[in-house]
Amino acid sequence: MIETEAPSVATQFAPYGVGLSSRLLLGTAQYPSPKVLADAIHAAEVAVVTVSLRREAARTRGGERFWDMIKGLGVRVLPNTAGCRTPKEAITTAQMARELFGTDWIKLEVIANDDTLQPDLFGLVEAAGVLARDGFKVFPYTTEDLGAAERLLTAGCEVLMPWGAPIGTGRGLANPYALRTMRNYFPSVPLVVDAGMGAPSHAAQAMEMGYDAVLLNTAVAKAVDPVAMARAFAQGVVAGRTAFEAGLMEARDMAAPSTPVAGTPFFSFEPKA
C-alpha cells in the first residue's frame, strides 16, 4: 500500500490576518472533566477554542484553574458573549473578556429567543459596530440573512458565522440552500458555520460547500467518547475541505454510464439446430 501525506487544508484560513493551523474551532463547555477537554483539543489538533466569560471569568479558584489549563494547551482563545440578550450587555461582556483573556478577538452573541437561541440581528449589528470601532476583531454569530450579513460587514466585521441549526440541536445544516447562497454571495469573506452540528458528516457537508471552518461544542462534549468524537470531526473537516478543493462533481437528474459504450465488444450467439 502506498502511503501519502495528508493534504494541508488550513493555509488559506486566516481570519483577521491570523493564519490558523486548523479549520475546526471547538467550544469548551459541558465536558465531563478538564482532562477530557484537554485530550479532545489535542486529539482534534484545534487552533482556536471558545470560552464563555459568564462561566469561566469569575475571579474564583475554579475559574483561574480553568484559565491556566487553557493557556497551557497553546491554543488561541476566542471569548464569547454567550447568554447576552442586549447589545449593552454583550458590549460590556466583550470589554471584560478583553481585559481577562488579553485578546481583542470576540465571538459576539446577542440572543433574541430562549427557545431557538436565534441571534437578535438588530442588536447584533448594533453591538458589532460599537465593538469594531473599539478595536475588537468581531466574530458575529448570525443567521443566513444576507441583509444582516452586509450590515455586519459594513459595521466592521471581517468574518461571518452563520448558524447551521439552533445551538445544541445536532440537526446539521437545516437550510443548506441558504448557506450555499451565502457562500456564493460573499466569495471572499471568511465564513464559519457555527452551531447545530451533530455528526462529522455535517461538518464535512459545510466544508464541501466551500465554508472556511466550522465551530461546534455539544456534539463533542456530550459524546460517549469526546476525544474520539473530536478526532472524527477533525477528520470530517479535512475530508470536506479536500473534496471542495479537488472539485466535486455536479449532481445529475439522469444516470450516466461510468464505462463508455463506444468500443464495448458485443457477442451474438446462434441457437443450435
Side-chain angles (χ1 to χ4, degrees):
M1 181 178 67
I2 299 176
E3 295 186 358
T4 58
E5 185 177 348
S8 173
V9 296
T11 54
Q12 300 301 314
F13 181 45
Y16 291 100
V18 177
L20 300 177
S21 60
S22 171
R23 293 178 181 272
L24 174 63
L25 289 68
L26 204 58
T28 57
Q30 306 183 69
Y31 286 82
S33 71
K35 183 181 185 305
V36 172
L37 168 60
D39 289 346
I41 291 171
H42 282 306
E45 299 182 341
V46 298
V48 176
V49 297
T50 62
V51 176
S52 170
L53 181 70
R54 287 170 171 261
R55 188 183 69 257
E56 306 299 348
R59 304 287 184 176
T60 63
R61 183 173 301 175
E64 291 176 358
R65 285 200 302 266
F66 177 87
W67 179 221
D68 288 341
M69 185 270 290
I70 292 295
K71 287 191 291 186
L73 294 174
V75 294
R76 178 176 284 270
V77 172
L78 177 62
N80 67 42
T81 62
C84 291
R85 297 299 196 275
T86 66
K88 182 178 180 180
E89 188 179 10
I91 292 166
T92 301
T93 302
Q95 292 168 338
M96 293 172 60
R98 180 164 61 181
E99 178 181 352
L100 180 66
F101 297 110
T103 178
D104 55 9
W105 280 24
I106 191 73
K107 177 188 171 185
L108 180 61
E109 296 184 28
V110 182
I111 300 302
N113 183 280
D114 289 335
D115 293 325
T116 65
L117 300 180
Q118 179 172 332
D120 175 355
L121 299 181
F122 301 101
L124 186 67
V125 172
E126 178 183 342
V130 173
L131 291 173
R133 289 191 294 272
D134 193 25
F136 281 90
K137 308 299 189 295
V138 182
F139 293 70
Y141 168 62
T142 183
T143 68
E144 318 93 330
D145 187 283
L146 299 182
E150 289 184 321
R151 285 166 174 77
L152 287 168
L153 294 174
T154 301
C157 298
E158 296 182 14
V159 177
L160 298 173
M161 301 179 68
W163 64 352
I167 295 171
T169 61
R171 298 185 64 85
L173 307 187
N175 194 342
Y177 171 79
L179 287 171
R180 190 174 290 108
T181 299
M182 174 175 268
R183 175 71 283 179
N184 293 335
Y185 197 79
F186 299 107
S188 60
V189 176
L191 299 180
V192 181
V193 174
D194 179 13
M197 282 173 284
S201 57
H202 299 155
Q205 183 184 8
M207 301 305 293
E208 288 171 0
M209 290 181 180
Y211 274 77
D212 296 280
V214 298
L215 194 163
L216 58 108
N217 188 161
T218 308
V220 171
K222 291 296 187 178
V224 174
D225 186 341
V227 177
M229 187 61 76
R231 187 179 298 111
F233 266 98
Q235 292 169 345
V237 167
V238 171
R241 182 65 189 187
T242 303
F244 170 75
E245 292 179 348
L248 293 159
M249 68 172 288
E250 294 185 6
R252 297 172 57 95
D253 293 328
M254 301 294 292
S258 56
T259 302
V261 176
T264 302
F266 291 91
F267 303 93
S268 61
F269 298 91
E270 295 183 2
K272 293 183 179 180

